Each structure stands twice: as C-alpha cells, then as structure tokens.
Amino acid sequence: MDIDKDTESGPAITIRSSERDHVNFVLKNVDLAVANSVRRTMMAEVPTLAIDLVEIDVNTSVLADEFIAHRLGLIPLVSDSIDELSYSRDCTCDQYCNKCSVKLELAAKCDTDSTMNIYASDLAKFQNGSTLGDPVIRDAQGKGSLICKLRKHQELRITCIAKKGIAKEHAKWSPCSAVGFEYDPWNKLKHTDYWYEESVEDEWPKSENCEWEEAPDPEAPFDYNARANNFYVDIETIGSLSPNDVFVKSLETLQLKLAGISVELNKDTVESSNAESGGLTTYGRNGGETPEINYGGSYGGSSWS
Amino acid sequence: MSTIIDEQHKDVDPDQMDQDQDIEEYDLDKIKLLPGSSEDGTAASFQIVDEDHTLGNSLRYVIMKNPEVEFVGYSIPHPSENKLNIRIQTYGSITAVEALHLGLENLSQLCGVIETKFMEALN
C-alpha cells in the first residue's frame, strides 16, 4: 500500500531550531491523524524516571509529609538510559530492585540561625553505574530545584525510590513541559473560528508560521478538498530527556504499541479460534471449509449471523 | 467481558482460576473479536483494551488508506473505560483481520519513515 500517493516524496522534516531543551521543526506530508498521534504520545506515553515511593524517616519541617513527597516526585531525573530499566510491575523482584528502580537519599538538618534551603542537588543517589536517576540541574550555581526550607533544629531524613513510568499515569513522568503543535496558520481549513468584535484581521495577531505558507486569496471559494499537510511542532523538555530523544522515543513507543497488538492478533489467529473465548478466525478463505462453531451462549444471544 | 470469563472458568477449580486471572493482567486479551462479524470474515469489530485516540485515530486513517477496505471506524464506547472499538468492513478480497494486520504494519512503517527522516534532518 502506498501511504504517500498524493505526495511525491513522503514524510519530510525540516528542523528550524534545535537547542538543549528545545526543538522546533516542520513535519510535512503526513496526515493530521498521524501527527496528532505522535503529539499525544510525546506528551503522555514516553517513559521516564521519577520518584514514586518516599519513605520518610524524619520530617520536622513545616511542610507535611505528603506535600514533600509530591514535590520530590516532580523533580526531573536524568532518564537517557531509561530503556535499561524495566517497569516495577513487570520485574521479577518482590517490591523493587536495582533493575527496576533507582534509590535516592535526602538527609539534611539545619543548625544555623538562618533558613536553610534544600535543593534537588542535595539528593544523594545510590550508585547504579550510570547517570540514570541524577537530578537534573540547570542553574548556574548547580543547585537544582528547591525542595523545601528548614529552620533551626528542623530535620529531613528521606529515602526515595524512583521508578519508570509514563505521564498517562501521572504527569510527573512527562518528559515535556510543552509541545507546540500548529497547522494551517491562515485557517484556510476553517478548523477554528476566531471570535471578533469588528474585524478578524485587526484583532487577531498573525502566527509566525504564516510566513511558511502562502496567504489565501480572499476571493477564492472554500476548498473542501484541502487537508492539513504541514505541522509546526515545537517540543520543550524538562531535562530528563533531550527533545530529539522525546520525538524519536515517541515514534518507537507507538511502534511498540502496534507490535503488541499485532502479536496478540497473530496468536489468536494461529491458536485459532474458539469464538466463544473471543478468538479470531479467517476460516473459509484458504479453500478450507467453514468449521462448525457454536456461537450460542457467551455473548448473550447477540447477532452472529 | 466478565460474562465471557465466567463461561470459560465454569468448571475450573478456584486455584486454577486465580492463576488464570493473574495471567490476564499480562494483556493476554489485548484484542478480541466483538459480536457482529460476517461469516466470511470480511467484516468484523474488534475491541482493544488500554488504548485511546492516540492509536485509534491514526490506525483508522491508515486502514482506510487500503483500497480493499470499504469501511473503518473507531469509537471509545465510554470515557471511563479504557477500551477502543474498531470496526472494519472490506470489499471481500481480504478479511477484516488481514486488513487490521496490514494497518498495524503500515502505521509502524510510517513511524519508522518519520524517525529516519528526523535522524537525517538532524545530521
């Protein structure tokens, strides 16, 4: 099957800018459905590492245990080699082990009269032989994000277990802080309806991406055959993964999902196929006869004619 | 779904049943056939669990690109159940299962092409 019948060259990508936490590119010659799938996967299904279990030994700070646990969960952790880690639920261990988790420790006590700040850099990781699980630190002082503040005699002793997960379960696992996604900047397709008082042109600012597409002829009739073809994507990450990795891994995640279904579908057709257990059949096609299958019962008399 | 499981395990002792249900969490029935398929297999509805519009919409699009396919549609029957129903009807030269297989394969290839193009653009 030719996916790219109407276009000459098939999918194309033009990278407009690429920085450490940022990539901006134009994705061309794919359908809106596919582009949107990639966007959704980037935002919610690319696996990363985040603190998931928090054992609090001592917490005499002003913040409640769960409050600190929540803040710890949101700290970005370096997840470049996340593929080496398995999901805790799939691991053979009882609760967690170093094949499915990374352990970090936080121990701090304030002895001075002034307030003490506790930063992500104060988290001490149990060595695991790689950078996996190091807190992401991007400020000039090398401190990382602020976790809490301690007054004199207040203390924190906390053990954190970081696990692999996806943002569909909890947003703390999202590698992206934002994904920009724009198509049809001139609104030729009329997918959106601009509210205005007197004039749409005067009251709405033009998108920067308008320069990348021809302005529509105001006299031209509406083209009902037109489809979205150029997608202006802008990925901004939180530092756990590079934006390029996020894009590549989202495509791999999608492929993994498809393969998973394909395997299940294969198994069902091969082991084929007890319709009562929801099996799948391709009978009556390869010269064979349609096997006798009793459809009755399990679907409550639904129509299987 | 629960009614089907009950049917299967009617005559099984409780220990066995526990074991089977453990396996079930491993997505053994990621996809199943829904009632309402034609006898020759050219029209069928499937139910995929733990998937949403992310997969459904692009899979629908890719299957629809197949000229042998007469109709594809998908729906999320209820927002608080993570189930995806997909209906495929073909003109008769391939079965719905084959059309679905082809769709999965083609979408995977399309992802592969986009990935290659991105890597090329990076270098």
Side-chain angles (χ1 to χ4, degrees), chain A residues 34 41 52 56 74 98 116 139-140 146 149 164 274:
Chain A
V34 177
T41 319
D52 196 34
I56 295 176
L74 297 176
N98 50 15
M116 184 184 184
D139 54 322
L146 181 65
K149 295 184 177 185
K164 184 179 176 176
N274 177 0

Side-chain angles (χ1 to χ4, degrees), chain A:
Chain A
M1 185 178 68
D2 188 7
I3 289 167
D4 324 301
K5 219 170 229 172
D6 357 44
T7 52
E8 279 173 35
S9 52
I13 285 174
T14 315
I15 297 181
R16 297 197 286 191
S17 74
S18 174
E19 289 151 48
R20 190 170 61 169
D21 291 328
H22 216 268
V23 69
N24 186 305
F25 59 88
V26 189
L27 175 61
K28 283 181 189 163
N29 305 338
V30 294
D31 190 73
L32 176 57
V34 177
N36 192 44
S37 287
V38 178
R39 180 192 65 85
R40 286 175 63 104
T41 319
M42 287 193 290
M43 296 213 298
E45 302 195 42
V46 173
T48 59
L49 191 71
I51 291 171
D52 196 34
L53 267 178
V54 179
E55 290 161 17
I56 295 176
D57 233 357
V58 181
N59 172 21
T60 48
S61 77
V62 292
L63 301 180
D65 291 2
E66 51 270 52
F67 195 109
I68 292 178
H70 178 242
R71 290 182 68 77
L72 286 166
L74 297 176
I75 296 170
L77 302 177
V78 173
S79 310
D80 289 315
S81 47
I82 191 73
D83 293 338
E84 293 161 17
L85 214 67
S86 58
Y87 287 104
S88 255
R89 55 172 181 275
D90 297 338
C91 195
T92 47
C93 63
D94 257 353
Q95 213 185 351
Y96 53 82
C97 64
N98 50 15
K99 282 180 189 143
C100 63
S101 67
V102 174
K103 209 173 188 179
L104 300 108
E105 222 172 29
L106 180 63
K109 190 174 183 185
C110 179
D111 296 314
T112 55
D113 285 328
S114 58
T115 315
M116 184 184 184
N117 291 340
I118 311 297
Y119 294 99
S121 55
D122 296 323
L123 282 164
K125 190 186 73 173
F126 280 59
Q127 268 315 312
N128 57 352
S130 72
T131 55
L132 181 68
D134 288 336
V136 172
I137 291 160
R138 286 296 159 82
D139 54 322
Q141 292 85 21
K143 288 174 173 169
S145 27
L146 181 65
I147 299 169
C148 77
K149 295 184 177 185
L150 298 182
R151 204 192 156 190
K152 196 173 187 180
H153 303 311
Q154 292 181 343
E155 191 183 0
L156 277 181
R157 257 203 331 263
I158 295 173
T159 312
C160 308
I161 310 298
K163 291 180 176 177
K164 184 179 176 176
I166 58 169
K168 216 166 147 183
E169 189 180 334
H170 191 293
K172 68 185 175 185
W173 276 298
S174 181
C176 307
S177 44
V179 178
F181 184 86
E182 185 182 19
Y183 62 92
D184 186 27
W186 291 103
N187 195 27
K188 293 177 201 166
L189 303 171
K190 304 284 177 216
H191 282 193
T192 185
D193 189 20
Y194 291 116
W195 182 90
Y196 62 93
E197 285 188 353
E198 267 138 23
S199 151
V200 187
E201 284 77 21
D202 297 343
E203 289 162 37
W204 283 92
K206 264 198 303 185
S207 162
E208 284 175 13
N209 296 321
C210 283
E211 293 165 26
W212 287 66
E213 280 182 32
E214 240 171 86
D217 173 8
E219 301 296 305
F222 177 68
D223 180 4
Y224 49 84
N225 283 319
R227 319 217 83 219
N229 195 53
N230 293 5
F231 301 91
Y232 305 93
V233 184
D234 187 297
I235 309 167
E236 184 188 286
T237 60
I238 57 167
S240 53
L241 288 171
S242 82
N244 299 338
D245 277 354
V246 171
F247 186 65
V248 170
K249 283 188 175 174
S250 73
L251 292 164
E252 283 165 2
T253 310
L254 258 178
Q255 285 180 312
L256 222 60
K257 282 153 82 82
L258 293 164
I261 297 170
S262 209
V263 165
E264 282 304 312
L265 199 56
N266 263 331
K267 204 153 55 188
D268 285 354
T269 18
V270 172
E271 288 171 3
S272 174
S273 235
N274 177 0
E276 278 192 350
S277 59
L280 306 158
T281 48
T282 51
Y283 47 79
R285 291 199 30 79
N286 304 322
E289 271 180 69
T290 307
E292 288 275 338
I293 291 170
N294 173 25
Y295 292 123
S298 50
Y299 292 108
S302 46
S303 56
W304 269 71
S305 48

